Amino acid sequence: MRPVVRLGSYRIFDGSGAEPFGGHLSVSRGRISDVRSAAVGAGAASSGGISLEGFAILPGLIDAHSHLGSVVQPHGSAVPLAVVAAQIFENARIALDEGFTTVRDVAGLDGGLVAAIRRELVGGPRILPSGPMLSQHGGHADWRPVFDHGPLRESLPGLVQPSVLVAGASQMRVAARTALRDGATQLKVAISGGFSSDGEAPDDVQFGLEELRAAVEVAHSRHTYVTAHAHYSESIRLGLLAGIECFEHATFVDADTVDELRRHQAAVVATLSVVERYQDPAIRERLRAEVAEQAEEAFPAMCRMVKMAIASGVTVGSGSDQVGPEQRGRARELAVRARVTSPLEAITAATGKNAGILRLRGVVGQLADGWVADLIAVEGDPVSEPELLADPSRVRLVVRAGTIWRNTLPEPLATEVAAAFSAEGSSTGELSTQGGSEESASAAWSCVEEDRASSSPP
């Protein structure tokens, strides 16, 4: 019989939204089991477990709005392909190092990086790629230089394709089917303008109803869904009419639209830490004058949206929306969210709520019996000190699917934890240096994929 790893903590956040508790949990064969309240010292010791005194245990974090592959800024810059690949791999490694065991990439990555991580050729989180953002010509993801009427030239099949331009329902179906063929697990469309793209504004409505319905039709035929970049109510209402089930940002949303989101059981992914930057006048000065005023109001508007939507019963997830190389401090989104709602709600958004949005409920995002053993240990109490979540150095233990990725716990605790996981049969240490077998990695991924197939939407 294989040994079981049992960890005790004075603070366990199970990802369900329940209050944290002192107790212990067990890990066996890549799964969580026996999560219960107990006196930490006695509970862990009496069962042969390890007490992580002074460390809180959380589910592995989930970023529902990532751009790991968006390393070339501005778009169109000449960068060697080897550098692009290396920067993408580094972003994936950093994300896992900071405790994000699952990310949804919402414009760019296809199935290539997923395969590389699954085979442990590079280190990184579990990735759910959306493929290229589907954009209209002159839309949010039309990153061609102004007056350039040629095709987009940023396609690197098997690695990253930031966007694809489509016109009409027929082209939308082709683009959507191609994205799914290349490994997308859901689709992303741009249905409003943005703050930093040329020739448009955040309140522009993009695509027509027939085009959007075509994307939804293709997604549903493959048992998945469409998420949409959208800042204003008019775009979101159009998306709801088309059957879109998730909306990114939703910055300027009125109460009636929140009611429609709830009625359609659609979800929203807030990106507070990105729009908070627009409070800085120096950053707003880089924007076009006609959108700078909207940018200044973006953060307070999104704060209001998050509170209003949560109060209405809409599921509001959490996303970092980072771009560029060296994407560090991804969990700053949690620290900002904690100021807007509460530390517990911010943690729940980046764990259980995000799992539901990604159709991974029952698989990851919570510490519960039978769920995949994605967990982290952070130094301190994130309720009394929510800013610690924004400090990657406070993430001292990262376990993905029962395998240790990061272990910077103090000695002798670090050695004790490593030995326990090693005895249980899981590999320890960074995959790029010590690593486990490809067979064990594939098994961990397969259990998630099988469980996700049977999971229901939020």
Side-chain angles (χ1 to χ4, degrees):
M1 182 177 180
R2 294 173 63 169
V4 174
V5 179
R6 179 158 293 185
L7 304 174
S9 171
Y10 79 124
R11 283 284 186 274
I12 295 178
F13 295 78
D14 67 8
S16 70
E19 292 293 326
F21 57 90
H24 64 250
L25 58 84
S26 298
V27 175
S28 178
R29 297 182 181 274
R31 300 274 183 172
I32 298 287
S33 65
D34 193 30
V35 183
R36 66 177 67 187
S37 301
V40 175
S46 64
S47 59
I50 301 168
S51 177
L52 299 181
E53 185 176 355
F55 297 89
I57 298 178
L58 291 70
L61 301 177
I62 301 172
D63 188 347
H65 190 116
S66 73
H67 296 287
L68 296 176
S70 296
V71 297
V72 179
Q73 301 290 325
H75 290 280
S77 301
V79 179
L81 301 186
V83 173
V84 173
Q87 290 175 333
I88 292 174
F89 297 161
E90 178 66 358
N91 279 344
R93 185 198 65 79
I94 292 170
L96 184 54
D97 219 36
E98 293 185 352
F100 286 85
T101 53
T102 301
V103 304
R104 182 181 62 169
D105 193 88
V106 286
L109 293 183
D110 53 29
L113 181 58
V114 174
I117 293 174
R118 179 171 182 166
R119 295 174 62 183
E120 298 192 354
L121 300 174
V122 297
R126 185 180 301 108
I127 297 174
L128 280 69
S130 301
M133 191 184 316
L134 308 179
S135 171
Q136 70 175 31
H137 292 76
H140 175 61
D142 185 347
W143 288 305
R144 297 173 299 176
V146 177
F147 305 117
D148 182 350
H149 295 181
L152 285 168
R153 299 179 177 87
E154 296 186 316
S155 176
L156 304 175
L159 185 63
V160 63
Q161 181 181 9
S163 66
V164 63
L165 304 181
V166 298
S170 178
Q171 285 190 17
M172 178 68 83
R173 289 189 181 91
V174 172
R177 289 166 180 158
T178 302
L180 292 167
R181 170 185 176 270
D182 291 343
T185 52
Q186 65 284 320
L187 300 173
K188 167 82 175 290
V189 295
I191 64 172
S192 85
F195 290 106
S196 56
S197 40
D198 293 326
E200 49 152 17
D203 54 353
D204 288 347
V205 178
Q206 300 182 357
F207 279 129
L209 181 59
E210 184 182 4
E211 292 167 308
L212 297 179
R213 280 179 169 164
V216 170
E217 173 190 300
V218 172
H220 286 179
S221 73
R222 293 285 295 271
H223 313 292
T224 188
Y225 66 97
V226 177
T227 191
H229 163 97
H231 282 292
Y232 278 81
S233 293
E234 189 176 1
S235 293
I236 290 174
R237 286 176 174 273
L238 178 66
L240 289 171
L241 194 60
I244 292 173
E245 299 174 47
C246 184
F247 297 88
E248 311 298 307
H249 314 299
T251 311
F252 301 97
V253 174
D254 57 37
D256 288 343
T257 303
V258 168
D259 287 342
E260 286 298 297
L261 285 163
R262 176 183 50 78
R263 188 171 70 83
H264 285 83
Q265 297 183 311
V268 168
V269 174
T271 55
L272 290 159
S273 59
V274 167
V275 294
E276 185 192 37
R277 296 184 306 172
Y278 293 133
Q279 298 295 99
D280 183 346
I283 293 178
R284 288 202 307 276
E285 286 178 2
R286 303 172 195 168
L287 302 177
R288 303 193 318 279
E290 58 267 31
V291 301
E293 184 176 346
Q294 290 171 301
E296 184 177 8
E297 293 300 316
F299 181 63
M302 190 176 287
C303 291
R304 290 192 295 270
M305 178 277 295
V306 168
K307 294 176 181 178
M308 183 168 51
I310 291 173
S312 180
V314 175
T315 299
V316 182
S318 171
S320 70
D321 200 13
Q322 289 190 346
V323 297
E326 293 286 323
Q327 295 178 14
R328 298 185 183 276
R330 190 173 297 274
R332 181 170 170 270
E333 180 68 22
L334 280 74
V336 176
R337 176 84 165 241
R339 301 199 311 265
V340 175
T341 57
S342 72
L344 178 59
E345 194 283 328
I347 291 169
T348 306
T351 53
K353 288 184 181 181
N354 274 354
I357 291 171
L358 273 55
R359 300 191 175 188
L360 290 174
R361 181 181 289 119
V363 185
V364 297
Q366 288 185 220
L367 302 177
D369 287 1
W371 294 45
V372 173
D374 284 5
L375 62 90
I376 64 173
V378 299
E379 187 175 9
D381 180 4
V383 168
S384 60
E385 191 186 357
E387 285 297 321
L388 75 83
L389 297 170
D391 183 356
S393 70
R394 303 285 287 274
V395 180
R396 305 296 293 271
L397 178 69
V398 178
V399 176
R400 188 195 68 178
T403 295
I404 292 178
W405 165 262
R406 174 181 170 88
N407 181 3
T408 62
L409 294 166
E411 293 293 355
L413 188 58
T415 298
E416 186 179 5
V417 168
F421 275 89
S422 179
E424 194 274 326
S426 299
S427 59
T428 61
E430 294 195 2
L431 301 180
S432 58
T433 55
Q434 297 179 26
S437 67
E438 183 175 325
E439 180 182 2
S440 65
S442 295
W445 280 79
S446 295
C447 69
V448 172
E449 291 167 352
E450 291 168 4
D451 289 356
R452 182 175 188 268
S454 61
S455 182
S456 59

